[in-house]
Amino acid sequence: MELGIKQGDVVLFQGDSITDAGRNREAPVDLGKGYAFMTAALFGAAYPHLQVTFLNRGISGNRTIDLLNRWQSDCIDLKPDWVSIYIGINDTWRRYDSNNPTSTEQFEANYRQLLERTKESLKEVKLVLVEPFVLPVPEDRKTWREDLDPKIQVVRELAREFGALLVPLDGLFAQASMTAPPAYWAYDGVHPSPAGHALIAKAWLRTVGANVLD
């Protein structure tokens, strides 16, 4: 796959705690300590001549509705060339920890509105959609599948509809869990370990056609 990111492009990572990864929100250029940071570091080392800018606006605890509420200031106004959206696990989690569910239909409506607003305001924008995932750590995470699986399918269908690139994380983490226990990749089934973040970064870079291993 040919690299789509061009010289001087601005790449925006959006999402929840997995994207946030402890970033300093008072420092607009801080990328946190997770996959966004790793992706920018690997890409920047491999393609220094492109002078690409990476931004992180992930906020811990966010659901699709939270992204919608801050999309103008935290996406549109930044005028990115690439928007990477990684959202959905909290839309499932709140059903189980606080009886505050987001239906699949509402999840799709929120996500669709995000993509429509982005396409309308940023005519040449390229989209990368990242699947949410969950691993069976602890065991009760298995029951989340009933809620999360339809939402993963929504992300896949929206990626096709909007011509976005798709990072198929759910399958990748399931595959990785054949080589090391699920807790190695995400201690609570949701939040990645350093190795888990690296897995996301590598998958993201592969999806956009970046070769960072040479």
Side-chain angles (χ1 to χ4, degrees):
M1 178 180 175
E2 183 181 353
L3 178 66
I5 297 176
K6 306 301 184 187
Q7 185 160 10
D9 275 357
V10 175
V11 179
L12 172 65
F13 293 107
Q14 265 292 0
D16 49 38
S17 60
I18 302 172
T19 302
D20 186 336
R23 70 182 178 88
N24 178 3
R25 295 178 200 167
E26 303 304 312
V29 298
D30 189 79
L31 292 168
K33 302 176 181 67
Y35 80 89
F37 175 82
M38 294 178 182
T39 299
L42 289 168
F43 187 95
Y47 301 97
H49 56 288
L50 293 183
Q51 296 290 291
V52 172
T53 298
F54 289 86
L55 300 174
N56 184 352
R57 293 297 183 272
I59 293 182
S60 181
N62 269 195
R63 295 187 284 182
T64 47
I65 188 63
D66 301 301
L67 292 193
L68 270 178
N69 290 337
R70 60 185 181 84
W71 206 241
Q72 184 65 43
S73 60
D74 279 355
C75 178
I76 306 302
D77 290 350
L78 299 174
K79 296 181 171 55
D81 301 285
W82 291 77
V83 176
S84 175
I85 304 174
Y86 182 5
I87 199 71
I89 192 61
N90 290 319
D91 292 79
T92 286
W93 201 340
R94 295 296 86 82
R95 169 181 171 180
Y96 296 98
D97 72 353
S98 55
N99 194 30
N100 185 12
T102 302
S103 69
T104 300
E105 293 73 20
Q106 190 59 56
F107 178 79
E108 180 175 1
N110 292 344
Y111 213 133
R112 181 181 299 279
Q113 191 175 342
L114 283 172
L115 298 177
E116 288 174 347
R117 287 175 59 184
T118 305
K119 284 281 196 177
E120 288 167 5
S121 300
L122 305 168
K123 300 299 184 185
E124 302 299 320
V125 73
K126 290 89 171 176
L127 298 169
V128 181
L129 307 190
V130 184
E131 288 180 1
F133 77 91
V134 69
L135 292 174
V137 187
E139 281 286 311
D140 68 358
R141 297 290 190 259
K142 290 180 180 178
T143 64
W144 293 16
R145 281 286 163 195
E146 176 188 6
D147 190 277
L148 186 63
D149 283 353
K151 292 180 169 67
I152 292 172
Q153 193 59 38
V154 164
V155 176
R156 294 172 180 174
E157 291 171 358
L158 288 174
R160 280 195 293 269
E161 181 179 339
F162 283 84
L165 297 175
L166 177 72
V167 185
L169 277 197
D170 193 54
L172 290 174
F173 271 91
Q175 182 182 49
S177 294
M178 301 299 103
T179 61
Y184 175 82
W185 302 105
Y187 72 93
D188 62 353
V190 172
H191 295 96
S193 64
H197 276 286
L199 189 73
I200 298 171
K202 288 170 63 178
W204 195 97
L205 288 161
R206 194 162 53 242
T207 298
V208 302
N211 182 359
V212 301
L213 299 180
D214 291 341

